[in-house]
């Protein structure tokens, strides 16, 4: 089997070499113009000026191994970690790349089945983990956005009933649902769920049509999360915890600690089978079923505003740059934060990303060492962050929205 695979690879290389050097009765094409490469997470999108009648080939590999010359592209074939593709069109997406590695790209072409011409002067690009570079979108409106989620599209919601959706995290459209209530928390599994002041719960299957549900509480709800199986938990003012198997029928948690502290964040870890809720004055609650909750010691008295699970740990963030981590939700350790301002939310995709006051963002791949991101383009407070398809979206004050690919 291995011998057959090697023979196939050798055949492909030889075919490419013949095409590059000899071709048929046609002629080589001049090097393509306008070559550009834009890096995102694990991918680079390459574009160039297409000319009618030209068949284009693309060659790329780690910059460290590519030849200096593109006069003939034969030397670019079979490079370690390299790819050569025949008959491609612009734009071309190179995927499965290693983040943090510089890649070089060149394109050549032929006409009438002839040999390949010279390659373009190479362009380089380095894919990076999403969350490293941010772009600022146009403000949705003047209202504060407080919550965000991702299903088949992004949904952002906030003060005085602000509700918006986006298919790409860059262009947003107002959702046609009217409420004057503040919408503070969001979660998606099967359906979109928003929670807000006075016990408001809204549910939608398509992010277009929304239905208010009876939550059984008049307390303000600040956050909601799902175990992606059969339970959704919402938390809020005065230690409120309510649960639902479907987002429609809600009831109070069976047991919860006697606390009047507000709960601002909640999450579930399928890796540990554990729920964690966090809140005012360092409050941390833990549950193995989402119904029965116990208080655990956080060793901090600052407000904890957000919590998630990623990089094999629960991570909670809060006031004055507070960052806590825990492997099991029971024992918590304070971590050094590069930011001293309030942190409002944290999530995980391929790395942990926390956002907060003044448009500040910080990231971590291990829940211990954190790095402040470069300028995000805004000084507005960021209140929520969500991971979509190879991208993060963060939203905040005055309709602020950021996208990181």
């Amino acid at each position: 089997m291995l011998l057959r695979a090697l023979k196939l690879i050798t055949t492909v290389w030889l075919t490419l070499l013949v095409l590059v050097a000899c071709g048929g009765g046609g002629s080589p094409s001049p090097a393509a113009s306008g070559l550009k490469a834009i890096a995102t997470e694990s991918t680079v999108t390459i574009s160039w000026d297409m000319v009618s009648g030209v068949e284009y080939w693309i060659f790329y590999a780690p910059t460290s191994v590519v030849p200096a010359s593109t006069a003939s592209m034969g030397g670019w074939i079979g490079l370690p970690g390299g790819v050569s593709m025949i008959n491609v069109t612009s734009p071309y997406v190179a995927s499965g790349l290693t983040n943090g590695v510089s890649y070089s790209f060149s394109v050549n072409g032929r006409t009438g089945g002839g040999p390949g011409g010279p390659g373009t002067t190479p362009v380089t690009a380095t894919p990076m983990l999403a969350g490293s570079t941010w772009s600022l979108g146009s403000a949705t409106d003047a209202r504060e956005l407080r919550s965000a989620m991702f299903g088949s599209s992004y949904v952002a919601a906030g003060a005085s009933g602000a509700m918006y959706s986006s298919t790409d995290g860059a262009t947003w459209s107002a959702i046609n649902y009217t409420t004057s209530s503040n919408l503070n928390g969001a979660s998606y599994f099967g359906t979109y769920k928003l929670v807000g002041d006075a016990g408001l719960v809204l549910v939608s299957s398509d992010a277009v049509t929304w239905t208010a549900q009876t939550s059984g509480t008049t307390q303000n709800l600040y956050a909601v999360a799902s175990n992606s199986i059969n339970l959704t938990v919402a938390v809020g003012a005065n230690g409120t915890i309510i649960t639902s198997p479907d987002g429609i029928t809600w009831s109070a948690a069976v047991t919860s600690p006697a606390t009047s502290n507000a709960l601002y964040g909640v999450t579930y870890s399928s890796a540990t089978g554990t729920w964690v809720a966090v809140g005012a004055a360092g409050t941390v609650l833990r549950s193995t079923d989402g119904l029965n909750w116990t208080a655990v010691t956080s060793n901090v008295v600052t407000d904890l505003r957000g919590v998630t699970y990623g990089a094999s740990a629960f991570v909670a963030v809060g006031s004055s740059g507070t960052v806590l981590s825990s492997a099991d939700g029971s024992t918590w350790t304070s971590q050094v934060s590069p930011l001293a301002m309030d942190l409002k939310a944290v999530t995980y995709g391929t790395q942990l990303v926390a956002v907060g006051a003044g448009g500040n963002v910080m990231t971590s791949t291990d829940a211990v060492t954190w790095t402040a991101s470069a300028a995000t383009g805004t000084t507005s407070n960021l209140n929520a962050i969500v991971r979509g398809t190879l991208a993060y979206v963060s939203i905040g004050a005055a309709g602020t929205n950021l996208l990181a690919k």
Side-chain angles (χ1 to χ4, degrees):
M1 190 71 180
L2 177 60
L3 181 60
R4 289 178 61 189
L6 289 172
K7 286 182 177 179
L8 178 60
I9 293 170
T10 302
T11 300
V12 171
W13 286 357
L14 288 174
T15 300
L16 281 165
L17 284 168
V18 169
L19 287 171
V20 168
C22 302
S27 60
S29 173
S33 62
L35 185 65
K36 298 178 182 177
I38 299 176
T40 53
E41 183 175 290
S42 303
T43 65
V44 173
T45 300
I46 307 97
S47 61
W48 61 94
D49 299 329
M50 296 275 290
V51 175
S52 178
V54 177
E55 178 184 299
Y56 292 97
W57 308 341
I58 189 167
F59 304 82
Y60 61 92
T63 302
S64 60
V65 301
V66 299
S69 174
T70 57
S72 171
M73 298 307 294
W76 286 61
I77 298 172
L79 295 172
V83 172
S84 305
M85 296 294 292
I86 301 173
N87 196 17
V88 296
T89 57
S90 175
Y92 176 86
V93 178
S95 59
L97 305 181
T98 302
N99 292 315
V101 172
S102 173
Y103 289 83
S104 292
F105 302 82
S106 183
V107 173
N108 73 349
R110 67 175 182 172
T111 59
T120 58
T121 300
V123 295
T124 61
T126 303
M128 300 294 290
L129 288 175
S132 303
T133 304
W134 295 82
S135 58
L136 179 64
S138 299
T140 51
D141 64 27
R143 289 174 291 180
E144 179 183 50
L145 297 175
R146 300 180 177 181
S147 56
M149 59 184 150
F150 178 77
S152 57
S153 62
Y154 295 92
V155 172
S160 303
M163 296 175 66
Y164 287 84
S165 65
S166 172
T167 57
D168 59 7
T171 303
W172 295 82
S173 301
I175 292 174
N176 187 24
Y177 182 86
T178 302
T179 177
S180 60
S181 295
N182 296 325
L183 300 169
N184 307 312
S187 177
Y188 178 87
F189 177 71
T191 57
Y192 299 85
K193 303 173 186 70
L194 289 167
V195 299
D197 286 358
L200 178 64
V201 174
L202 300 178
V203 175
S204 174
S205 61
D206 57 9
V208 176
T209 303
W210 295 79
T211 304
Q213 309 298 331
T214 300
S215 67
T217 183
T218 57
Q219 297 290 336
N220 292 345
L221 298 173
Y222 298 130
V224 59
S226 170
N227 66 357
S228 300
I229 303 174
N230 58 3
L231 190 67
T232 296
V233 174
V235 300
N238 297 307
T240 299
I241 304 176
I242 60 173
T243 68
S244 173
D246 54 13
I248 298 173
T249 303
W250 293 82
S251 58
V254 177
T255 61
S256 58
T259 179
S260 59
N261 289 340
L263 298 174
Y264 297 124
V266 62
T267 195
Y268 175 78
S269 162
S270 58
T272 65
T274 305
W275 294 83
V276 170
V278 300
T283 299
V284 176
L285 309 182
R286 182 180 184 274
S287 174
T288 56
D289 59 10
L291 305 175
N292 300 279
W293 295 77
T294 57
V296 299
T297 301
S298 68
N299 297 311
V300 299
V301 295
T302 51
D303 291 348
L304 299 174
R305 291 285 180 172
V307 63
T308 194
Y309 185 88
S312 301
F314 289 97
V315 174
V317 299
S319 300
S320 303
T322 299
V323 179
L324 305 177
S325 66
S326 172
D328 57 7
S330 295
T331 303
W332 293 81
T333 302
S334 293
Q335 305 296 343
V336 176
S337 170
L339 303 175
M341 66 284 299
D342 293 348
L343 298 171
K344 301 294 186 69
V346 61
T347 196
Y348 181 78
T350 47
Q351 65 176 334
L352 291 154
V353 182
V355 300
N360 284 282
V361 177
M362 65 183 196
T363 61
S364 175
T365 57
D366 61 6
V368 176
T369 302
W370 291 81
T371 302
S373 293
T376 58
T378 183
T379 57
S380 295
N381 292 341
L382 300 173
N383 298 322
I385 184 168
V386 63
R387 168 74 174 199
T389 305
L390 295 180
Y392 293 91
V393 166
S394 182
I395 51 89
T400 298
N401 58 90
L402 297 173
L403 175 66
K405 293 184 177 181

